[in-house]
Amino acid sequence: MKAVKIGIGIVLLVFSVIYIGVVCLVISERKERVGTMENAFLEVEYLGCENLGDTMVTRSGEEMVASEGYDYYRLTFTIRNLSSAKSWSDQEIYLDWKSYEDVVEVYYNDREIDYDRLFSTYAYKFIPGKVSITKDLYAMVRQGVTEIWVYYYPNWNEEEVKLPISLEKWLD
């Protein structure tokens, strides 16, 4: 009886190793395919957020004051173009919320991007293939909201990807 249990355990272990090997192979093939796609394939990573309170300063230096009962948040993301094709989608990240009273204004600001160097000969901004950028999104969020969602499309043929953003640590 003990030998049968050991035999079954070994067979299950072998199947597990084969399964893991196949999964790793599929993942590596998909990454290779993405790297040579004719269409851009974006991946967005949420890096964190900061509560700016009821005031914020825009890129042009203008100070903005939030409506009563709202705070500004700076949400920071890394956007990676995993393919070798240019992304012409202007790297937009969209906010999705439960009601229009939760998030009322959204502003975009790019960091660490030398647009003159990257985009000097093009009318539209894009992310070249195999390049990552950092993007800040500023949102005026109703005080007391614990979670908002952002979403993006990896490319034109993919379903939207939603990322939850928890604001709980900023609540008193």
Side-chain angles (χ1 to χ4, degrees):
M1 186 65 171
K2 189 174 183 181
V4 172
K5 288 182 181 179
I6 291 174
I8 291 173
I10 290 173
V11 169
L12 291 175
L13 180 62
V14 168
F15 281 131
S16 297
V17 169
I18 291 171
Y19 177 76
I20 290 171
V22 169
V23 167
C24 289
L25 183 63
V26 168
I27 288 171
S28 68
E29 285 180 4
R30 178 158 184 189
K31 283 186 178 180
E32 286 177 20
R33 264 197 327 251
V34 165
T36 58
M37 286 177 71
E38 291 182 19
N39 295 321
F41 192 90
L42 301 180
E43 176 183 75
V44 176
E45 178 185 1
Y46 169 65
L47 299 177
C49 76
E50 178 184 0
N51 184 331
L52 302 175
D54 62 354
T55 59
M56 75 168 226
V57 179
T58 65
R59 205 179 341 177
S60 62
E62 175 187 359
E63 184 174 276
M64 300 187 68
V65 178
S67 302
E68 188 169 330
Y70 290 82
D71 284 334
Y72 283 108
Y73 285 85
R74 179 176 56 223
L75 310 168
T76 304
F77 302 88
T78 293
I79 304 173
R80 292 179 195 86
N81 184 354
L82 300 178
S83 75
S84 55
K86 299 174 186 124
S87 168
W88 293 96
S89 65
D90 201 21
Q91 323 93 46
E92 295 300 344
I93 302 169
Y94 302 96
L95 272 174
D96 185 20
W97 51 90
K98 294 177 182 167
S99 78
Y100 288 105
E101 285 118 26
D102 288 351
V103 180
V104 293
E105 292 180 13
V106 178
Y107 304 93
Y108 297 93
N109 187 24
D110 305 321
R111 299 188 298 164
E112 303 170 9
I113 304 173
D114 183 354
Y115 282 115
D116 293 331
R117 181 178 61 83
L118 284 178
F119 312 117
S120 60
T121 58
Y122 296 94
Y124 296 100
K125 297 176 184 173
F126 64 90
I127 302 178
K130 307 286 187 181
V131 170
S132 297
I133 65 168
T134 301
K135 188 173 193 81
D136 288 334
L137 183 150
Y138 294 85
M140 189 189 327
V141 180
R142 185 173 48 82
Q143 294 169 349
V145 171
T146 59
E147 184 177 68
I148 59 176
W149 291 79
V150 298
Y151 68 93
Y152 71 97
Y153 293 90
N155 72 16
W156 301 108
N157 302 323
E158 299 286 327
E159 296 289 322
E160 74 181 18
V161 176
K162 284 192 170 192
L163 303 172
I165 308 295
S166 174
L167 303 176
E168 287 190 51
K169 85 174 201 176
W170 300 106
L171 300 177
D172 295 330

